[in-house]
């Protein structure tokens, strides 16, 4: 049974940092492109970052480029999102997701972790 479990969210002041983790079970992580998404209140879910199977490629939304870093450890079946220089507009529920086939919909999603940035 596949599960993705996010952790590391919380409340921090603007300018601070957080590191999110996504622990996967029931799958072999190296078979999947992994992504982070977020959803703020009253807004659509938006793409944040992705990382390819063996970390050959990363991609970021323009709003987080230069501040966030996605990484993965396939041996530990874990994906990370390091978030620096946080802004109030980063406040959202953050989700990780796994994609088996390139350009297809994501196959699995986590339950989300709340990130709140105070001003």
């Amino acid at each position: 049974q596949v599960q993705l479990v996010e952790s590391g969210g919380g409340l921090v002041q603007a300018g601070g940092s957080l590191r999110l983790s996504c622990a996967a079970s029931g799958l072999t992580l190296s078979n999947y492109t992994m992504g982070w998404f977020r959803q703020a209140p009253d807004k659509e879910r938006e793409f944040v970052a992705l990382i390819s199977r063996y970390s050959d490629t990363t991609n970021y939304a323009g709003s987080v480029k230069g501040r966030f870093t996605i990484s993965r450890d396939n041996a530990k079946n874990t994906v990370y999102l390091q978030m620096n220089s946080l802004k109030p507009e980063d406040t959202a529920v953050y989700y990780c997701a796994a994609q088996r086939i390139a350009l297809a919909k994501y196959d699995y999603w986590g339950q989300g972790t709340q990130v709140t940035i105070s001003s």
Side-chain angles (χ1 to χ4, degrees), residues 96-110:
C96 77
Q99 180 192 57
R100 182 67 183 267
I101 305 299
L103 305 180
K105 291 184 176 181
Y106 281 76
D107 297 278
Y108 304 106
W109 293 82

Side-chain angles (χ1 to χ4, degrees), residues 24-96:
S25 60
L27 57 77
T28 300
L29 198 70
S30 61
N31 289 334
Y32 293 83
T33 294
M34 299 298 296
W36 286 96
F37 296 78
R38 66 187 183 186
Q39 188 167 19
D42 298 319
K43 294 185 178 179
E44 296 294 313
R45 182 184 64 198
E46 67 172 335
F47 166 79
V48 175
L50 68 78
I51 186 165
S52 61
R53 294 170 61 198
Y54 296 102
S55 303
D56 300 316
T57 300
T58 58
N59 199 9
Y60 299 90
S63 59
V64 308
K65 191 173 298 182
R67 300 188 297 121
F68 291 10
T69 303
I70 188 171
S71 61
R72 67 192 295 159
D73 187 336
N74 288 337
K76 296 181 178 179
N77 259 31
T78 302
V79 183
Y80 306 95
L81 185 68
Q82 178 67 47
M83 306 187 295
N84 299 326
S85 302
L86 285 161
K87 304 174 181 180
E89 51 262 46
D90 295 318
T91 295
V93 177
Y94 283 71
Y95 301 90
C96 77

